Amino acid sequence: MANVRASTPDAHLPASAAEGSGRAAIGVFSISDAVGAEVRGVDLREELDAATIEVIHRAWLDHGVILFRDQHLSAGDLVRFSRCFGELDLGPTMAWQAADQEFPEIFIISNVMENGHPIGFLGNQEADWHTDMSHTAIPPKASTLYALEVPADGSGHTGFMNMYKVYEVLPSPLRSRLEGLHMKHDPAHTLQGELRDGFTAESFEDLEAAEGPVHPLVRTHPESGRKALYLGRERNGVYRAARILGMARAESDRLLDELWCVVRQEQYAWYHTWRVGDYVMWDNRCVMHRRESFSADLRRVMHRTQIRDNVAPA
Ligand code: SIN
């Protein structure tokens, strides 16, 4: 049985569980008023019992983002722990990568170059606010990131935003306007505006005709039952991001701009300053994230997994 202690009066945590087993206690400590908690007292290399996994699962559901410090995870540990919460997506492979990678579930996020090739994705640029894989029919329920190398100056923060709270803070007439609205998301472009395999520059020109997954603008979280604003990514010059069905383009753009304006205020955001050994897992159904740019001269290497959902946003 897990030992449990919490900084906040989390009713789900059995207070008596902290006594008696001799193991270090698990603590769940809220990190900010916006989103996030640090989970202490767990070594993720260990075989964790069902009670411990349940405490971690609960903390993730309640806080949207959970952080574990000072971990020492091999790629195998990362995959094994991530699998405690569901099946994993396979990471994208780069053309120059060996096809026989031992852990194809790991996505490498890095600016490091080896033999003239980047070892991972995203380079050192900013990645703007987004939800992972909203251009797919069933986006992952969780994404996780483990820090192997981080810039010594602390740059390259990752921001997380609580989309339950962003939805709740909207003026009620605006919330009412969103009821029942759905958006078609652009599957053709990456966050950086690059074309994905199989698409051409014209692929999302005609928004009516284009193929793309349709998701509600406000989704109800399948586990918490709470409503969250679900924007995917912001429309910009290249990335069309989304179009609200049943609206003329200009009207859709206006409404989306209004919602993104609220996002940009970052009222419910928290930024994490990475240390080597940090492991973060976020709920992709109610949290958006962004990554700040950092100097190309500094090394940053992260291993990431994505945990599949089994229901489409609804
Ligand atoms: C991402 O998943 O968008 C990247 C996050 C990061 O590199 O911190």
Side-chain angles (χ1 to χ4, degrees), residues 109 122 127 130 132 145 156 158 274 282 289 291 300 302 304:
I109 307 288
L122 287 185
H130 64 283
D132 284 330
L145 210 50
T158 308
W274 291 94
W282 65 92
H289 61 287
R291 204 273 309 277
R300 189 175 187 271
M302 319 289 272
R304 182 173 136 160

